[in-house]
Amino acid sequence: MTEPEVIHSWSAPRSLSTSLMYSFAQRDDIEVVDEPLYAAFLKATGVDRPYRDEVLSKMEYNGHKVVNDIIYGSGSKKYRYCKIVRSCVSSEHHISKQRLFGLPSELMSKGKHFILIRNPLNILPSFEKVHPPSFLELGLGELVSIYSDLCQMGTPPAVIDADELQRDPETTLRGLCDDLEIPFQVSMLKWEAGPIPEDGVWAPWWYKSVHESTGFSSPKKYPRTFPLSHYDLLEQSLPLYNILRSHVKHKSSLLSCPLPPPSLPVPENAKLLAWVGDEILPREMAKVSVFDSVVQGGDSVWEGLRIYKGKIFKLEEHLDRMFDSVKALAFDNVPSREEIKEAIFRTLITNGMFDNTHIRLSLTRGKKVTSGMSPTFNQYGCTLIVLAEWKPPVYDNDGGIVLVTATTRRNSPNNLDSKIHHNNLLNNILAKIESSNANAADAIMLDKDGFVSETNATNIFMVKKGRVLTPHADFCLPGITRATVMELVVKENLILEERRISLSEFHTADEVWTTGTMGELSPVVKIDGRVIGEGKVGPVTRTLQNAYKNLTEDSGVLIPTYQEA
């Protein structure tokens, strides 16, 4: 007899934990133990079960003895598989569980561990076969705690999803065996119908479907109707399931094959915090309702803000434009200017973002009581979103960028006035697709008469024989950076002209640059294959870049608590 290496299977009830135990029981190198701590749980908590007395009479309920003599006792096989369903442990934090049952720390610190989860949508409809469900009985909070404890010990457990186990048993089991560092055995895929000697006393109440099975059954094509009596419990438990599911290595999707996680342009943004509604949330939890107007129809306004050395540049001007857009779109129940400022400050301070930061500030018409176009459905008030990211200027402002002209024309005020800074950006996105297909930074968009309006993302300027020209803001957005640069042009004693400009004038310009909060002043060195000027940053562009840089350093709204290093 030797001491086997223990494999702990942590799971919630109704999550195929018994089928998985049967699977491991088919191996020639593993002995299985069915919920060895269940009697200790019943004894310590007083929870009633129809089989309570029988369990207490047939199983050891001294938790310390269970851990030492049963879980970690000697055995005849190389491995011991211990199925531990959440209902056999306390709802307290795991350290408290150990104190409650007098369990030694070895329960967690020794052996191999993995967590089996299942979507509460699939658990709750079948739970009432024996007793009503509760947040405690579902045990997802406890599983999150166990995952956290094991991570803190330096041994993060593998997480597998019961739904994946049903869809593709072999791939899921092979992956689990790899994580546990044990060889996969084909015998794990099938077993004979009927009970096994290792079944717990409670098997007649819970294991009927497993006893009728000979392997993992394929998931049903369509789910059961969800009982609305469990809706509140679903709301409470689903976020915890999603926390654990984010750690599943191999996930399938109903609609398509999942893509590998992309790399982020700025890796530090993986752990940012965003303001949504009236709270600050981690990146992956920062979401709006499917009933929100921005989802239903792009019904929202937005601003881009930049932070330089503890100050928000042109904040008041951006808020002026946001409130103009809000008024033009007839939003109701709009947060006050001071409330929006506070949300911005709190988001920046919480993230520790005081420089080299861009904010996407959005205000949607808010959540609707039912899907549809009518603003009368918006009865919850507006939704405020403050998305702050570490983001340097997005264009090559030293070497210059290349533009192409899009076939997509800029919206006319006859259709949708660009002076409303709205989130319905399909007009711009179609042009951006054209520039991306041409491997250009952005696309120039013409107005209905064929004159240059702006690019898909920025305003545009040109220099010809010492004169600075920019299109009228008839079709384009009158940008905050555009207005700032126009002021700088005058301050630098340059001639400024605002008029209709044809595309050929831009092709033959001495210098061209674009302006925007996200990219600042970006020199253009080529348009539609034509080299602009000498194909490098021109003197007027460089002068204005320097003037703009000085302005960002000297002005802006100070972020509370910021102290310059």
Side-chain angles (χ1 to χ4, degrees):
M1 300 289 282
T2 60
E3 182 179 329
E5 187 168 11
V6 177
I7 297 172
H8 300 274
S9 166
W10 300 90
S11 64
R14 315 300 294 166
S15 52
L16 303 187
S17 58
T18 304
S19 294
L20 192 56
M21 181 183 74
Y22 274 43
S23 170
F24 273 85
Q26 308 312 305
R27 296 177 60 103
D28 58 18
D29 57 356
I30 284 183
E31 59 186 52
V32 300
V33 184
D34 192 4
E35 300 195 46
L37 288 166
Y38 200 15
F41 164 75
L42 294 177
K43 183 71 173 178
T45 63
V47 170
D48 188 28
R49 292 289 185 270
Y51 40 78
R52 173 186 168 87
D53 292 341
E54 187 178 0
V55 169
L56 292 176
S57 67
K58 293 183 177 180
M59 291 181 67
E60 176 60 61
Y61 51 76
N62 181 304
H64 197 280
K65 287 184 178 181
V66 172
V67 172
N68 288 321
D69 299 340
I70 299 176
I71 295 179
Y72 290 118
S74 59
S76 58
K77 298 289 183 71
K78 184 176 181 180
Y79 302 104
R80 176 175 292 135
Y81 180 97
C82 288
K83 171 188 159 192
I84 308 177
V85 177
R86 198 257 9 121
S87 59
C88 73
V89 292
S90 158
S91 63
E92 303 295 326
H93 191 269
H94 200 74
I95 300 301
S96 300
K97 293 197 306 281
Q98 294 170 6
R99 287 200 295 268
L100 176 62
F101 298 140
L103 303 182
S105 60
E106 285 82 2
L107 176 64
M108 297 290 285
S109 62
K110 290 176 62 177
K112 303 172 184 288
H113 299 261
F114 75 90
I115 294 176
L116 172 65
I117 60 173
R118 194 179 189 190
N119 194 322
L121 271 171
N122 299 325
I123 295 175
L124 289 169
S126 65
F127 208 106
E128 287 183 314
K129 291 181 178 180
V130 176
H131 55 84
S134 67
F135 184 79
L136 171 62
E137 295 290 350
L138 275 180
L140 285 163
E142 186 61 33
L143 291 180
V144 171
S145 175
I146 290 168
Y147 183 87
S148 177
D149 287 347
L150 290 167
C151 287
Q152 288 180 2
M153 293 176 186
T155 54
V159 181
I160 64 169
D161 194 312
D163 294 332
E164 305 296 332
L165 190 57
Q166 282 190 301
R167 290 190 190 101
D168 191 350
E170 183 169 348
T171 299
T172 304
L173 288 172
R174 284 185 180 274
L176 177 58
C177 288
D178 287 343
D179 290 329
L180 296 173
E181 298 179 326
I182 64 174
F184 170 75
Q185 293 186 5
V186 178
S187 59
M188 299 174 71
L189 298 173
K190 296 289 182 182
W191 53 83
E192 293 184 4
I196 60 176
E198 295 87 352
D199 282 347
V201 170
W202 46 88
W205 283 266
W206 291 105
Y207 293 180
K208 180 182 178 183
S209 59
V210 179
H211 291 164
E212 293 173 350
S213 71
T214 57
F216 294 100
S217 59
S218 299
K220 295 180 179 179
K221 184 176 182 180
Y222 298 109
R224 302 181 187 185
T225 299
F226 187 81
L228 294 182
S229 58
H230 299 330
Y231 189 86
D232 291 345
L233 185 53
L234 179 66
E235 281 191 314
Q236 296 167 19
S237 57
L238 198 55
L240 298 173
Y241 163 77
N242 286 327
I243 289 173
L244 291 168
R245 191 170 189 270
S246 68
H247 299 289
V248 175
K249 288 183 179 178
H250 306 287
K251 294 189 285 282
S252 61
S253 169
L254 176 65
L255 300 180
S256 63
C257 293
L259 298 173
S263 58
L264 301 181
V266 181
E268 290 79 5
N269 286 328
K271 294 185 177 180
L272 59 76
L273 298 159
W275 182 288
V276 181
D278 59 357
E279 60 183 336
I280 293 177
L281 297 165
R283 177 183 177 121
E284 295 305 318
M285 297 174 66
K287 301 171 184 178
V288 297
S289 168
V290 294
F291 286 96
D292 197 282
S293 288
V294 72
V295 179
Q296 295 272 322
D299 190 2
S300 174
V301 300
W302 71 281
E303 291 293 325
L305 303 168
R306 268 212 175 273
I307 287 74
Y308 300 93
K309 296 182 179 179
K311 292 177 288 188
I312 307 172
F313 189 61
K314 297 291 181 179
L315 174 61
E316 301 298 346
E317 290 86 343
H318 280 285
L319 290 180
D320 285 342
R321 186 170 65 183
M322 172 169 272
F323 278 98
D324 284 346
S325 297
V326 161
K327 187 172 184 179
L329 292 176
F331 281 17
D332 288 325
N333 301 306
V334 178
S336 70
R337 193 183 190 96
E338 288 307 310
E339 287 172 329
I340 293 176
K341 282 185 179 180
E342 278 301 303
I344 293 170
F345 293 149
R346 287 173 182 268
T347 303
L348 291 172
I349 293 168
T350 302
N351 281 289
M353 293 178 172
F354 301 106
D355 194 20
N356 208 29
T357 299
H358 180 269
I359 291 178
R360 176 84 174 209
L361 178 69
S362 301
L363 188 67
T364 84
R365 196 183 295 270
K367 192 168 66 171
K368 294 176 177 289
V369 294
T370 186
S371 61
M373 184 187 299
S374 175
T376 61
F377 295 151
N378 294 87
Q379 299 174 22
Y380 295 95
C382 294
T383 302
L384 177 65
I385 302 169
V386 185
L387 174 58
E389 294 181 273
W390 302 107
K391 184 171 289 189
V394 295
Y395 302 111
D396 182 356
N397 290 350
D398 295 319
I401 63 173
V402 174
L403 301 178
V404 294
T405 302
T407 59
T408 303
R409 296 297 176 101
R410 192 68 178 99
N411 281 334
S412 164
N414 287 328
N415 308 113
L416 184 59
D417 194 348
S418 296
K419 293 176 180 63
I420 302 173
H421 205 197
H422 54 81
N423 280 65
N424 203 321
L425 299 177
L426 285 178
N427 181 230
N428 309 70
I429 292 169
L430 288 170
K432 180 62 178 177
I433 291 171
E434 294 188 59
S435 74
S436 296
N437 289 339
N439 293 317
D442 275 327
I444 291 175
M445 301 183 73
L446 309 180
D447 65 24
K448 65 180 180 61
D449 296 321
F451 292 97
V452 171
S453 174
E454 60 180 343
T455 79
N456 56 273
T458 58
N459 295 122
I460 191 166
F461 289 76
M462 62 168 279
V463 177
K464 188 70 174 179
K465 296 182 178 179
R467 303 171 72 90
V468 177
L469 297 88
T470 192
H472 285 298
D474 293 335
F475 290 77
C476 71
L477 174 76
I480 305 298
T481 309
R482 172 183 182 271
T484 302
V485 170
M486 291 171 75
E487 292 172 1
L488 291 174
V489 168
V490 174
K491 191 174 292 186
E492 294 293 329
N493 295 315
L494 297 166
I495 299 172
L496 175 66
E497 188 174 346
E498 190 179 8
R499 66 168 173 83
R500 278 183 152 189
I501 308 173
S502 67
L503 182 59
S504 63
E505 289 181 275
F506 272 94
H507 286 162
T508 58
D510 299 326
E511 298 179 45
V512 177
W513 68 82
T514 63
T515 62
T517 300
M518 190 176 290
E520 301 174 341
L521 275 76
S522 303
V524 177
V525 296
K526 187 180 289 186
I527 299 175
D528 298 328
R530 281 84 161 178
V531 175
I532 303 302
E534 297 182 2
K536 61 183 182 180
V537 182
V540 175
T541 306
R542 185 66 74 197
T543 295
L544 292 171
Q545 282 182 324
N546 292 333
Y548 187 85
K549 182 176 184 296
N550 292 334
L551 187 63
T552 62
E553 292 176 349
D554 297 336
S555 61
V557 175
L558 186 67
I559 301 167
T561 76
Y562 173 72
Q563 293 182 342
E564 191 169 354

